[in-house]
Amino acid sequence: MDNSSTTAPPSHRLGDIAYERILEALFSRQVEFGSFISQAELVKVTGLGVGPVRDALKLLEADGILFIHPRSGIEVVRPSTELARSTFQFRTIIERFAVRQFTRTVSLRALDDVIALHEQMLGNVAKLAVDHDFIDDLVEVENRFHLPICAALANTIVDSAYGRLQLLSKIVKMTTPVTGRTAEISINEHLDVLRACKDRDPDRAEAAMVRHLNNALQRTLGLV
């Protein structure tokens, strides 16, 4: 029986693995953001062949994570003020409208669950050391807040774009540790949005979301 129509070619699967391994190398700082690196070096980093690495590079370039220069190598994106501003501007364009739809459609039970998660995290933040970097602790809170809001638009193009924005947001945030104080502020800003959603007030929810993203940009840039 011919399974060629249902089984992806191995090179495609290996390309996905190479993509994930390159991202892991970047976020673990094995490969530095802002650096130039060769394809041969990425073959060593991933432990995979040239073909899968080339497939991964195409995806990473499309995501805005790196730029391929034919004569000078592969340039990894550098966390910068311009990148931060562009990323948060695009997120604001999407999320201010998404939260209006979310406010109209989300169930009260789902809201209660995510509000409880935020309140639990506030308690956890208070127990950890002042100099603790909270960026990893907030991953679930961030995902449980932002992803369902964007998903409320039921738009596959938006979903694809937002996936890239998540990666870029993670990159620009790497330069600024998340302290207990900033974690607390961010969680409370989420709660402002969620409580407006629970009151079925899209205007208030939109205003709270815009305020949160503007403040998050300022925190990322170290301005507050």
Side-chain angles (χ1 to χ4, degrees), residues 23-71:
L23 286 180
E24 288 172 7
L26 287 168
F27 289 117
S28 67
R29 299 187 185 277
Q30 182 181 355
V31 176
E32 291 292 334
F33 285 101
S35 65
F36 275 82
I37 190 167
S38 69
Q39 183 174 273
E41 289 173 295
L42 290 176
V43 167
K44 291 181 181 178
V45 165
T46 61
L48 296 169
V50 172
V53 168
R54 284 178 178 165
D55 290 340
L57 289 175
K58 292 175 186 176
L59 296 173
L60 289 162
E61 187 170 39
D63 286 344
I65 308 299
L66 51 78
F67 311 96
I68 301 172
H69 304 287
R71 291 184 176 81

